[in-house]
Every structure is written in structure tokens, then in C-alpha cells.
């Protein structure tokens, strides 16, 4: 005899629900967005958050199962699945495991360029004074290898690191030996203006699988204006360097980054088109650096943030249009945010981490043996602000560095979960804390969000991204999901219904 | 297609699993072999066979287990593996080397009782007997098949017996891809999933049904309280051990309203699944009894299906559709359509004779009870 069937009502529990942690934000007059602790979001009619909190949703309402499935509420039948929520929370904060992954070695401050936004370079030719010594290099590599992470990125910066190529070779050799001994994977990047690229250097990079990253600020007139060097030919030198490096190493091993300046803000289209002209498929519309403008008034910072947002928005529009026309181009800032918004994953990008990635995920070893929490932190030090100096590699242990007052202060004020303003912001799980930025611009690591350029920029960018996601434009969805999952448009179209 | 027949058992009392021979074989190959005969010849040498299967009536015991007065023998071929059950006279074909989708039938029992189950569970204690049959069957299978499915009932109810079957498959035919159809509930218990994972079968995947993104609806469809929680927890356990997972969603009037939500749920909570299979409902077993609640014409849910598949494939989860004819599918979904893993498919209707895509279409099940979509029509390309 077949067993009898029970009616649907036999499986519905009580509708007495409890709230799970979530936050909300009004996107426009009609719509608000709910975001839970793991970053899962839901667009709902305005007023829904209030109704949820006042328990106005019966179990048979349309929204109830969705609120439950997306972990905004729970009821008596949810409890076993809260473990699943915990697993997601762990995934999201996976970046904390393994401690510092990015280790920046400033092998020299010497440089032939005198870029407006750079606080650190020295024009001197007097070798030694601004170069990293072997002792410092050895101690810094030791400290790097002590970090538990299995996967480590070693990045050379300057100044112009190729001016101290012997130091690079020394560090690469001891780092590779150590990594092999400890079973760690090592990724090596040199950030260079490529002016001093030689065949020897390229052969060395090829043999050691080293990647090159350079600065390309846009077309010639922007690039040369941002990046003066004797002869005024930085653009020409950079492009030649990129092409030589690509021929020697392959395109995938040569990247370019741009720094946004006042001048750049007027020219998003020209900058992007330059990247296309040079056959790049990624561009990072990076926020304007505050470190040259630390003394600017808050009013001015606000103005710059709005100008950056217009720049970003016009840039993203143009990038989407290029993709529509068949050129695959990824905007990295958007990609990082979308990964946090659309997937359960966290990010390796320090500025958008909370707890702040300063120190926790990146460490900078300066040429003189001092260790800093981020590259920006060492720039502040060059401006005589030593707040984020964590210690010295020759005299301090890794434990000293990670228990230094500066590091503890960074952690205490680097969790947006508990920062005023952020603690109830809907975008908290996608955003960062950036105590270094707030210290530099507001004189206080905690910072004041209503006047923070960081907050204003991220809030605007995220509102914009959510409005694009909400628009239901399937082309935008295809491009965005392609960025999130590393597929180009053709691959995306081959896998989705068409 | 005939997979069982009956006869009268003579001279044996317990079940026998044996390989069919339709002609006499040398004495050294007779072990585990059942000789198939229309009638007993006078001087037939029967020595050494493990059983004799005869169409004619046999009156006196032959000194060898015999199944006589067998109704049909024409469907049996050399190399087939059969199970003889003397008490009820059943002769089941349990393995056919020429088939691409052989199954090990684990048990008729199940701890769920899905409203649309195509093979409704029967509550009888068959686990010991079926496990013995399956272990013997694995011994006899040769050569190793590419694919083998373990099904039921609910195979995880076998507990340690399932582990014994998997260990044997791992040792005897490690390159055979084994797919277990299970409701996944038992894997919620960490000790079971741990033991399961420890078998370390190199070519294993599990297919687990999920019908909604929240408990009460899924529990109603499978007719078991807490089933959703157990299945989702079970899937997480399996993922911890890196076991390949296929999510199976049967499409009917109760699952369609939450189909898009379910796709979103998978992309957020079950990101580790290897693929998702959407299956048209089979009109057999429990389904006809519950048709008033279950029936929705497939042409009416195409937009939901398309959106759900878009969500999954954008996220990067491979997706397939089974059991739906091309003419009822939106053309944008044809590329996901796969021929079903079943020997019971690929029947066509008279309209199909005019159709230009019949070669790519899975057609219909052979069940006469199948209710036909109003969308069935011959397709003309251009
Ligand atoms: S910085 Fe602003 S946008 Fe970011 S979490 Fe804090 S309040 Fe929200
Ligand atoms: S008419 Fe027949 S063969 Fe053609 S698509 Fe429909 S079911 Fe398939």
C-alpha cells in the first residue's frame, strides 16, 4: 500500500520569526535595498525594512520565503541552516586566513621621474644612501616567509626598482630558495616605469617568471604631464617598454596601472581609449590619491570625490560601450566590488577590506629597514608622519610588528563593522575601513563618514552599481557576470541561453 | 523493453545471480553461468552451470538449480546478468552490457515519498538481499562499463552496505564512473558523510534533488519534515570532502513558482555544485495520482526555466535539461537539452515523423500515461 500524502499545511511551521543581522538603504523613492551580514541583497519596495522589523510578514506572504532563503529572518524551521550562514560568513572573511599575502619591497628611492603624485622618489645618483642593504633585504625576506600564507606575492617598488636590479636579484634568489624550502608559492612582480629595461633584465624576468607592472596614465599629453622626466618623453619610453616586455614575456605578464590626477578627471574617455589602443583588456579607474593633498580642506575633498565619481561613471559607461562593440575591457574597481556584491567571496584588495588589509594583508619593507602597513603609510612617513611605522626588520620580530601600537590601532579602527556611520550602513559588507586614508585626510583613523571622501566615493559608486544591476539590462548583467567569473563576452554568451 | 519475466523455480531456495549463456560453454566457463534453453535435449551436458533456465516445463529436479516454464526468453542475450528468485519465480535482468545506463538497484525503501516519484518506495526489508545481489553482480560485470548508477529507493539507507558496494566498485572497476541518486538527507550526519568520503572512490558523483529555496515547500514535495535542512546540510558535508554534486530539479506546478529563487539560492549557498539538471516530470509512479497538483504544461514555464538557467550559467554552473522535447523548449534552451540516461526514453509520437530535429530530440517516455504538452509540434528548420 502506498503511504498516504500529507497536505501542504502539515509542513508549514509557525510564522513567529526572528531577525538575522541585516542593513538597508533607500535607493530611490520606491526602492530600498536590504543587505545581510554575508552581503546577500534584495531589492524591495520602500518601507519593507520597517515592516520586517515590525513583524508584519505572515508565513504565507509572498516575501516570507525569500526573506528566509536569503537569510534576513529565521524561524523555528531554520535553525539547522544557520550553520550554512556561518559557513558563508567564513568564506567572506577568508582573506584573513594566512595573514599577509602581499609583501612590497622598496629596493631604492632613486628614480629618473619626478611624478607630481609621488612623495618618495629621490633624484640623487648617489647609490647606497637610498638603496636597500643586503642585511635589510635578508631580514625582510625572513619576515615575509614567516607569514603562514601558502601563497605569497612579492612586489618590487621604488623609486624605480630597476635602478637597483642587483638587489632585486639577490632578494629573488633567497626568497625563491626559502619559498621552495617551506613549500610556498611565490608570485613576483616588479612595478617599474620601464625606462631602464634591458635585454638582460627581460631574460632574467622570463627565466624567473616575474611579471612587470607599469604606469600608464593615459594618452601622451596626460601621461607626460603627470610623469615628468628629463627629456619629457615618459610616454614614449613607457610604450616602448610595454611592447618590448610583451614580446619577451607575453602580454599576460605585463600590466599597466593608471594614477588619477586633477588632469585625468577631465579625460576619462581619452584615457580608456589609450588603454584600448595599447591592447590592454583591464583598466583600473583608481580613486585620486589623497596623499598629495593631505592638507586640503574637507570641502575640497568633497569636490574631488564628486569629480572622481563623474569620471568613474563616464568611464564605466564608455567601457560598457566598448564591450558592446566587441572589445573586452574589464574595469578593476567595479570587478572587485561586483565580486563582493554578487558572490559569497571576499576580496584581496586592501582598500576594500574590513578588518583593514593594512598590515594584515600587505606589508611594506622600506629601503631603510622600516616596515609599514601600506604603501600609503610609507608615503606619509616620507612626509614625516610615522603613525603607521610598525617597526624595523633588523631589530624587531614578526611578533613585535604585529603587536606594535600602530598595528593594534589599525585593527581597532579598521573594522567598519564597528565604525560610526559604517556600522549600520547597508554597503558595509562590500566596503572597507581604510584607517590610513582617514588618518591622512581627517587626522583620525576612525574618521568621520559624513565628510569622508572614501565613504562618499564608495557610497556613490555602489549606488550606481546597484542601479545598473537593478535596471535589468541583460547586456550589463552579462558583462558584469563575465567580470566576476573571468569570462569574456563571447564565452559568457556561449554558456547562457541565447 | 522487457527487463523481467517469470518461471518456476526447481531445486534451489535462495536467489542466484548469474551470467546468461544462450549456447553451451566449455566446462571451465560454467561457474556463475545460467544456460538458457528452449527445451531440455536428451543428452544435454549440464554439469557445472550455476543454473538452467528453460522455456519448457521440467518435471523432475536436474540436480542443478532450474527455472522452468519461463514465459519469455527472447529478451535475454549472452552476457546479460540475471537474478533468479525461486520463491516468486522472478527472472530479472539486472545488467545488460550493451546498455550505457546500467543501474545497481539498492533498495525499494525510502525515507522520503515524493509526490511525483516515478518509482514509489515500498516499505520492505530488502537491504540485505539486494546488497548481496549487488555485490555478486559487481563480481560478474565484465568488461568494466563506462558508467554505473546506484539508485533506489534511497541508497543511503543501506548505511554500511552502501559503503561495501562502493569499496568493491572502487577496487574492481576504479575507472567506471559511478553516479548515486540520493535525496542526500543522510549526509547531514557527519559520521556518515565522513565514512562515505573515506571510501575515496576516484570517479564518483551524487545526484541530489532540491525542489525549493526554503524548507516547507521542499518538505511538502518530498513528503518529509526536515528534509530540506538535512539535504542542504548534507550537500555542505559532501562539498567539504570535494565530492562531485549534481542538483536535480523536477519541473512541475509546485517547483516552478520558486524555480528562479532556487537558482539564486544555489548560486549563493551551494556554489560548489558541479551542475544542475532540470528534469521534465515522468508521468508514472506517484505522479498520475497527484496530477491535479503537479501538472503544468511545459510551454507555460519556459520563461521561468530560461531565467533560472540564465542565473546559473552566468554564475558559471553547468546546467542541463532532461526529459523535455525540443518542440516544447524555447529554442534558446535547446543547447542544454540532453538525451536522458534511461532505456525507457526515445519514444516518438506520430507528429514526430514530420519533424526535422527528431535526431536531436530525446522524444517521450514509453509510459502510455504521459500527458502531452499542447506545444508538441513538428519543427521545420527555416
Ligand atoms: S565608508 Fe561609507 S559606504 Fe563604506 S561602509 Fe562606511 S558608511 Fe558605508
Ligand atoms: S515533434 Fe517529436 S521529435 Fe520533434 S521536437 Fe517534438 S517531440 Fe521531438
Amino acid at each position: 500500500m502506498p503511504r498516504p500524502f500529507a497536505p501542504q499545511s502539515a509542513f508549514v511551521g509557525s510564522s513567529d520569526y526572528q531577525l538575522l543581522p541585516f542593513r538597508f538603504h533607500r535607493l530611490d523613492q520606491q526602492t530600498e535595498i536590504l543587505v545581510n551580514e554575508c552581503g546577500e541583497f534584495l531589492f524591495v519596495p520602500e518601507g519593507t525594512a520597517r515592516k520586517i522589523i515590525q513583524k508584519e510578514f505572515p508565513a504565507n506572504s509572498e516575501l516570507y520565503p525569500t526573506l528566509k532563503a536569503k537569510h534576513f529572518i529565521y524561524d523555528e524551521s531554520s535553525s539547522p541552516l544557520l550553520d550554512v550562514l556561518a559557513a558563508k560568513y567564513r568564506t567572506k572573511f577568508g582573506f584573513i586566513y594566512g595573514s599577509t599575502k602581499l609583501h612590497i619591497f622598496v629596493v631604492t628611492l632613486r628614480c629618473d621621474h619626478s611624478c607630481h603624485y609621488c612623495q618618495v622618489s629621490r633624484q640623487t645618483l648617489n647609490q647606497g644612501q637610498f638603496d636597500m642593504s643586503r642585511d635589510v633585504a635578508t631580514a625582510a625576506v625572513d619576515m615575509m616567509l614567516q607569514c603562514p600564507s601558502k601563497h605569497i606575492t612579492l612586489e618590487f617598488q621604488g623609486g624605480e626598482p630597476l635602478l637597483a636590479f642587483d638587489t632585486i636579484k639577490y632578494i629573488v634568489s633567497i626568497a625563491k630558495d626559502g619559498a621552495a624550502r617551506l613549500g610556498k608559492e611565490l608570485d613576483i612582480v616588479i612595478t617599474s616605469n620601464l625606462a631602464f629595461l634591458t635585454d638582460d633584465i627581460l631574460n632574467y624576468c622570463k627565466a624567473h617568471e616575474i611579471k612587470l607592472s607599469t604606469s600608464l596614465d593615459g594618452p601622451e599629453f596626460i601621461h607626460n604631464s603627470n610623469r615628468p622626466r628629463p627629456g619629457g618623453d615618459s610616454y614614449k619610453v613607457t610604450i616602448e617598454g610595454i611592447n618590448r616586455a610583451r614580446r619577451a614575456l607575453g602580454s599576460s605578464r605585463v600590466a599597466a596601472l593608471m594614477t588619477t590626477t586633477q588632469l585625468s578627471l577631465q579625460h576619462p574617455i581619452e584615457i580608456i581609449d589609450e588603454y584600448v589602443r595599447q591592447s590592454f583588456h583591464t583598466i583600473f579607474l583608481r580613486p585620486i590619491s589623497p596623499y598629495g593633498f593631505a592638507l586640503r580642506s574637507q570641502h575640497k575633498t568633497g569636490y574631488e570625490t564628486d569629480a572622481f565619481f563623474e569620471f568613474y561613471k563616464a568611464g564605466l559607461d564608455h567601457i560598457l560601450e566598448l564591450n558592446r562593440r566587441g572589445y573586452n575591457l574589464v574595469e578593476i574597481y567595479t570587478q572587485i566590488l561586483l565580486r563582493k556584491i554578487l558572490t559569497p567571496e571576499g576580496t584581496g584588495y586592501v582598500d576594500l577590506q574590513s578588518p583593514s588589509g593594512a598590515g594584515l594583508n600587505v606589508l611594506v619593507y622600506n629601503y631603510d629597514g622600516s616596515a609599514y602597513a601600506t604603501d600609503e603609510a610609507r608615503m606619509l612617513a616620507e612626509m614625516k608622519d610615522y603613525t603607521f611605522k610598525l617597526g624595523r626588520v633588523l631589530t624587531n620580530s614578526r611578533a613585535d610588528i604585529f603587536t606594535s601600537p600602530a598595528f593594534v590601532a589599525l585593527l581597532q579602527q579598521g573594522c567598519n563593522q564597528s565604525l560610526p556611520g559604517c556600522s549600520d550602513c547597508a554597503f558595509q559588507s562590500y566596503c572597507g575601513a581604510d584607517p590610513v586614508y582617514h588618518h591622512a585626510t581627517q587626522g583620525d583613523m576612525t574618521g568621520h563618514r559624513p565628510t569622508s571622501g572614501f565613504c562618499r566615493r564608495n557610497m556613490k559608486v555602489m549606488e550606481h552599481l546597484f542601479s545598473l544591476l537593478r535596471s535589468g539590462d541583460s547586456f550589463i548583467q552579462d558583462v558584469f557576470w563575465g567580470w566576476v567569473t573571468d569570462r569574456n563576452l563571447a564565452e559568457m554568451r556561449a554558456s547562457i541561453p541565447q | 523493453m522487457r527487463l523481467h519475466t517469470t518461471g518456476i523455480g526447481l531445486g534451489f531456495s535462495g536467489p542466484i545471480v548469474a551470467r546468461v549463456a544462450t549456447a553451451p560453454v566449455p566446462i571451465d566457463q560454467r561457474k556463475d553461468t545460467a544456460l538458457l534453453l528452449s527445451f531440455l535435449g536428451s543428452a544435454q551436458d549440464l554439469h557445472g552451470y550455476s543454473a538452467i533456465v528453460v522455456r519448457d516445463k521440467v518435471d523432475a529436479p536436474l540436480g542443478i538449480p532450474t527455472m522452468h516454464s519461463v514465459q519469455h526468453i527472447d529478451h535475454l542475450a549472452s552476457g546479460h546478468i540475471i537474478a533468479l528468485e525461486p520463491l516468486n519465480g522472478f527472472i530479472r535482468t539486472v545488467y545488460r552490457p550493451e546498455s550505457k545506463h546500467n543501474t545497481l538497484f539498492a533498495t525499494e525503501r525510502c525515507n522520503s515519498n515524493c509526490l511525483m516519484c516515478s518509482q514509489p518506495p515500498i516499505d520492505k526489508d530488502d537491504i540485505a538481499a539486494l546488497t548481496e545481489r549487488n555485490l555478486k553482480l559487481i563480481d560478474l560485470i565484465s568488461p568494466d562499463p563506462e558508467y554505473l548508477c546506484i539508485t533506489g529507493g534511497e541508497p543511503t539507507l543501506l548505511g554500511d552496505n552502501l559503503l561495501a558496494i562502493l569499496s568493491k566498485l572502487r577496487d574492481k572497476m576504479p575507472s567506471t564512473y559511478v553516479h548515486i541518486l540520493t535525496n542526500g538527507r543522510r549526509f547531514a550526519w557527519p559520521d556518515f558523510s565522513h565514512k562515505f568520503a573515506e571510501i575515496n572512490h576516484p570517479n564518483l558523483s551524487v545526484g541530489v534533488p532540491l525542489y525549493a529555496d526554503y524548507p516547507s515547500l521542499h518538505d511538502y514535495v518530498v513528503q518529509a519534515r526536515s528534509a530540506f535542512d538535512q539535504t542542504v546540510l548534507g550537500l555542505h558535508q559532501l562539498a567539504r570532502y570535494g565530492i562531485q554534486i549534481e542538483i536535480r530539479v523536477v519541473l512541475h506546478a509546485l517547483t516552478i513558482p520558486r524555480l528562479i529563487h532556487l537558482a539564486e539560492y544555489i548560486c549563493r549557498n551551494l556554489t560548489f555544485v558541479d551542475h544542475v539538471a532540470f528534469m521534465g516530470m515522468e508521468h508514472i509512479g506517484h505522479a498520475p495520482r497527484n496530477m491535479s497538483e503537479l501538472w503544468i504544461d511545459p510551454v507555460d514555464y519556459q520563461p521561468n526555466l530560461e531565467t533560472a538557467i540564465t542565473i546559473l550559467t552566468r554564475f558559471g554552473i553547468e546546467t542541463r535539461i532532461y526529459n523535455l522535447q525540443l518542440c516544447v523548449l524555447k529554442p534558446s534552451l535547446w543547447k542544454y537539452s540532453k538525451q536522458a540516461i534511461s532505456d525507457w526514453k526515445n519514444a516518438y509520437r506520430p507528429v514526430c515523423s514530420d519533424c526535422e530535429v527528431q535526431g536531436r530530440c530525446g522524444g517521450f517516455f514509453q509510459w502510455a500515461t504521459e500527458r502531452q504538452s499542447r506545444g508538441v509540434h513538428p519543427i521545420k528548420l527555416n
Side-chain angles (χ1 to χ4, degrees):
Chain A
M1 252 321 276
R3 283 177 255 166
F5 298 113
Q8 186 145 19
S9 56
F11 299 93
V12 179
S14 110
S15 62
D16 186 16
Y17 65 84
Q18 309 291 319
L19 304 182
L20 285 166
F22 72 89
R23 298 172 192 81
F24 51 95
H25 183 89
R26 182 185 291 172
L27 283 180
D28 57 42
Q29 294 293 325
Q30 290 83 41
T31 320
E32 59 196 22
I33 175 172
L34 313 178
V35 185
N36 77 4
E37 199 72 1
C38 295
E40 193 158 4
F41 66 90
L42 188 62
F43 295 112
V44 288
E46 201 269 340
T48 303
R50 184 186 51 76
K51 282 195 201 147
I52 294 171
I53 292 157
Q54 294 180 339
K55 309 223 167 155
E56 287 175 19
F57 282 99
N60 59 6
S61 63
E62 173 97 28
L63 200 57
Y64 190 96
T66 306
L67 292 173
K68 203 170 145 179
K70 291 191 187 283
H71 296 114
F72 292 102
I73 60 173
Y74 72 101
D75 60 24
E76 58 172 18
S77 70
S78 305
S79 50
L81 291 182
L82 290 182
D83 279 355
V84 173
L85 191 61
K88 286 205 289 186
Y89 198 69
R90 266 199 304 278
T91 305
K92 194 169 165 43
F93 290 96
F95 68 89
I96 298 172
Y97 293 111
S99 176
T100 318
K101 280 135 212 124
L102 173 60
H103 297 260
I104 296 176
F105 284 64
V106 181
V107 286
T108 179
L109 288 190
R110 289 181 293 129
C111 189
D112 58 318
H113 279 64
S114 46
C115 302
H116 298 321
Y117 40 71
C118 178
Q119 315 308 315
V120 300
S121 75
R122 295 291 186 280
Q123 306 297 302
T124 176
L125 296 174
N126 179 7
Q127 220 168 6
Q129 191 186 353
F130 294 111
D131 282 15
M132 185 179 271
S133 70
R134 294 291 144 109
D135 286 351
V136 166
T138 311
V141 168
D142 268 354
M143 193 171 286
M144 169 179 85
L145 292 172
Q146 281 170 33
C147 287
S149 178
K150 270 201 82 74
H151 194 107
I152 283 177
T153 301
L154 161 56
E155 180 176 331
F156 293 104
Q157 282 200 15
E160 169 46 50
L162 293 186
L163 289 175
F165 197 64
D166 284 342
T167 314
I168 290 181
K169 286 207 271 196
Y170 173 72
I171 292 172
V172 167
S173 77
I174 59 172
K176 279 204 154 186
D177 286 353
R181 187 162 25 86
L182 297 167
K184 292 183 191 287
E185 289 166 47
L186 195 61
D187 249 347
I188 307 176
V189 185
I190 302 175
T191 296
S192 161
N193 62 35
L194 305 183
F196 302 96
L197 212 52
T198 62
D199 287 341
D200 281 351
I201 291 176
L202 283 171
N203 287 336
Y204 181 85
C205 289
K206 192 177 165 81
H208 288 83
E209 300 187 317
I210 295 173
K211 294 182 192 134
L212 290 176
S213 172
T214 193
S215 293
L216 178 60
D217 281 1
E220 189 157 11
F221 76 96
I222 298 176
H223 186 94
N224 283 348
S225 154
N226 282 355
R227 304 178 60 80
R229 86 188 279 267
D233 59 351
S234 177
Y235 174 82
K236 184 165 159 280
V237 169
T238 301
I239 299 299
E240 277 170 15
I242 288 172
N243 290 331
R244 277 180 76 191
R246 280 178 171 163
R247 274 194 302 274
L249 309 178
S251 297
S252 65
R253 299 199 158 267
V254 184
L257 269 184
M258 72 115 178
T259 300
T260 309
T261 61
Q262 293 291 340
L263 176 62
S264 328
L265 290 179
Q266 320 304 317
H267 303 286
I269 311 296
E270 290 87 338
I271 292 172
I272 292 162
D273 287 348
E274 176 66 27
Y275 271 68
V276 175
R277 198 172 311 122
Q278 302 307 332
S279 309
F280 284 107
H281 291 281
T282 58
I283 185 168
F284 195 159
L285 299 178
R286 286 201 296 177
I288 194 160
S289 161
Y291 301 96
F293 324 111
L295 301 176
R296 284 181 195 277
S297 70
Q298 287 173 354
H299 174 76
K300 195 79 196 264
T301 306
Y303 163 78
E304 265 156 11
T305 305
D306 289 354
F308 172 78
F309 176 68
E310 292 310 319
F311 166 83
Y312 166 82
K313 198 163 139 232
L316 185 59
D317 271 357
H318 186 57
I319 289 168
L320 287 170
E321 184 51 35
L322 287 166
N323 279 282
R324 198 186 297 273
R325 286 194 237 136
Y327 188 85
N328 290 301
L329 183 62
V330 180
E331 200 287 300
I332 303 286
Y333 200 68
T334 310
Q335 182 187 45
I336 292 165
L337 279 170
L338 286 172
R339 285 211 169 117
K340 297 187 86 177
I341 291 169
L342 296 175
T343 79
E345 305 298 319
T347 182
Y349 179 61
V350 173
D351 293 11
L352 289 176
Q353 284 174 340
S354 171
S356 162
L360 204 57
N361 261 329
V362 58
L363 268 181
V364 181
Y365 309 98
N366 209 6
Y367 71 99
D368 61 358
S370 41
Y372 292 98
T374 62
D375 202 32
E376 290 75 17
R378 94 155 148 137
M379 292 208 178
L380 286 175
E382 294 302 331
M383 298 187 291
K384 305 278 181 286
D385 176 348
Y386 298 101
T387 311
F388 301 106
K389 181 168 161 179
L390 305 178
R392 304 188 61 84
V393 294
L394 288 176
T395 47
N396 293 120
S397 67
R398 181 167 175 267
D400 292 341
I401 300 264
F402 279 86
T403 51
S404 63
F407 188 75
V408 172
L410 274 172
L411 279 186
Q412 280 172 341
Q413 289 156 101
C415 295
N416 65 12
Q417 289 83 348
S418 62
L419 288 174
C422 302
S423 66
D424 21 64
C425 174
F427 301 136
Q428 182 202 91
S429 41
Y430 314 128
C431 200
D434 214 337
V436 180
Y437 175 99
H438 287 100
H439 169 83
T441 56
Q442 299 189 322
D444 168 21
M445 284 188 229
T446 297
H448 179 248
R449 290 299 174 281
T451 53
S452 151
F454 174 84
C455 174
R456 191 180 176 93
R457 159 169 46 87
N458 284 329
M459 185 102 53
K460 278 177 159 276
V461 168
M462 283 188 269
E463 280 178 342
H464 183 59
L465 291 181
F466 275 110
S467 74
L468 291 178
L469 287 172
R470 188 152 186 277
S471 70
D473 181 327
S474 68
F475 170 77
I476 291 180
Q477 296 263 353
D478 291 346
V479 172
F480 279 3
W481 275 105
W483 293 358
V484 166
T485 57
D486 284 324
R487 284 177 291 172
N488 68 37
L489 203 55
E491 291 167 324
M492 180 56 77
R493 288 192 162 146
S495 64
I496 63 172
Q498 287 272 320
Chain B
M1 187 180 46
R2 184 179 294 285
L3 288 181
H4 87 268
T5 182
T6 52
I8 298 170
L10 184 67
F12 68 119
S13 58
I16 290 176
V17 183
R19 195 183 293 116
V20 171
T22 51
V25 295
I27 184 91
D28 59 333
Q29 292 168 25
R30 290 180 185 175
K31 186 174 173 305
D32 293 322
T33 298
L35 180 63
L36 192 66
L37 297 169
S38 294
F39 52 89
L40 281 178
S42 48
Q44 193 97 43
D45 168 19
L46 302 179
H47 183 65
Y49 289 106
S50 65
I52 308 296
V53 176
V54 206
R55 178 141 52 193
D56 271 7
K57 192 166 184 308
V58 175
D59 295 318
L62 302 170
I64 289 178
T66 303
M67 199 65 109
H68 68 95
S69 308
V70 175
Q71 288 188 328
H72 305 273
I73 60 169
D74 294 343
H75 65 288
L76 293 172
S78 279
H80 283 184
I81 298 171
I82 52 175
L84 307 174
E85 295 170 23
L87 297 183
N88 51 23
F90 280 155
I91 303 171
R92 297 179 201 276
T93 309
V94 291
Y95 187 83
R96 298 183 309 132
E98 72 272 23
S99 168
K100 284 200 171 84
H101 6 89
N102 278 294
T103 58
L104 299 182
F105 189 78
T107 174
E108 301 213 63
R109 282 191 154 169
C110 189
N111 50 351
S112 298
N113 190 33
C114 301
L115 294 172
M116 65 296 175
C117 182
S118 59
Q119 201 156 13
I122 298 173
D123 197 6
K124 67 174 190 199
D125 189 0
D126 57 3
I127 286 177
L130 282 175
T131 299
E132 198 181 327
R133 181 173 100 186
N134 284 320
L135 290 172
K136 180 74 185 178
L137 171 58
I138 296 168
D139 277 333
L140 296 186
I141 290 175
S142 167
D144 295 352
E146 246 173 67
Y147 171 91
L148 208 50
C149 179
I150 301 180
T151 176
E154 172 49 44
T156 59
L157 294 184
L158 265 60
D160 289 345
N161 288 309
L162 178 64
L163 306 180
I165 289 172
L166 285 174
S167 309
K168 185 152 193 164
L169 288 169
R170 174 200 60 200
D171 295 341
K172 179 159 182 277
M173 45 182 88
S175 59
T176 296
Y177 182 81
V178 176
H179 190 53
I180 306 181
L181 296 181
T182 164
N183 59 38
R185 294 169 56 188
R186 182 100 194 242
F187 294 110
W189 279 266
D191 53 336
F192 182 71
S193 32
H194 181 75
K195 281 197 278 182
F196 180 83
E198 272 193 327
I199 302 287
N200 223 340
H201 190 291
N203 264 312
L204 178 75
S205 68
V206 296
V208 176
L210 197 64
Y211 297 128
D213 60 328
Y214 68 102
S216 56
L217 179 56
H218 176 90
D219 290 0
Y220 171 55
V221 173
V222 308
Q223 290 283 302
R225 269 182 170 270
S226 301
F228 180 84
D229 297 344
Q230 290 165 359
T231 296
V232 171
L233 288 177
L235 290 169
H236 275 86
Q237 289 288 334
L238 291 170
R240 263 183 60 188
Y241 296 110
I243 289 167
Q244 277 191 55
I245 297 169
E246 172 197 55
I247 299 280
R248 299 161 74 89
V249 188
V250 179
L251 302 168
H252 54 61
L254 293 171
T255 56
I256 289 301
R258 294 303 289 189
L259 199 66
I260 293 166
H261 295 91
L262 176 58
E264 288 178 355
Y265 185 85
I266 291 169
C267 293
R268 277 286 176 176
N269 299 281
L270 304 170
T271 52
F272 43 76
V273 308
D274 293 279
H275 57 261
V276 174
F278 292 104
M279 345 258 303
M281 185 171 60
E282 296 185 48
H283 294 212
I284 190 149
H286 279 338
R289 294 173 59 200
N290 295 312
M291 203 46 97
S292 60
E293 263 194 286
L294 297 173
W295 171 254
I296 173 173
D297 192 315
V299 294
D300 293 329
Y301 63 63
Q302 293 304 304
N304 309 52
L305 185 58
E306 186 181 44
T307 304
I309 291 181
T310 301
I311 290 169
L312 290 164
T313 51
R314 269 194 189 135
F315 186 75
I317 294 179
E318 202 190 314
T319 303
R320 299 172 193 168
I321 300 172
Y322 293 101
N323 307 347
L324 285 173
Q325 302 75 28
L326 292 182
C327 52
V328 306
L329 275 181
K330 279 187 84 165
S332 66
L333 300 180
W334 284 14
K335 64 182 172 191
Y336 306 100
S337 174
K338 295 279 180 292
Q339 311 265 336
I341 300 186
S342 159
D343 288 326
W344 297 101
K345 283 234 26 188
N346 307 331
Y348 296 91
R349 301 271 160 94
V351 294
C352 302
S353 55
D354 288 339
C355 179
E356 293 177 13
V357 297
Q358 190 176 340
R360 289 152 61 194
C361 177
F364 299 85
F365 281 99
Q366 292 171 355
W367 326 131
T369 47
E370 182 150 350
R371 189 159 161 182
Q372 186 168 305
S373 162
R374 65 176 194 277
V376 172
H377 67 284
I379 303 241
K380 304 275 178 219
L381 298 171
N382 305 312

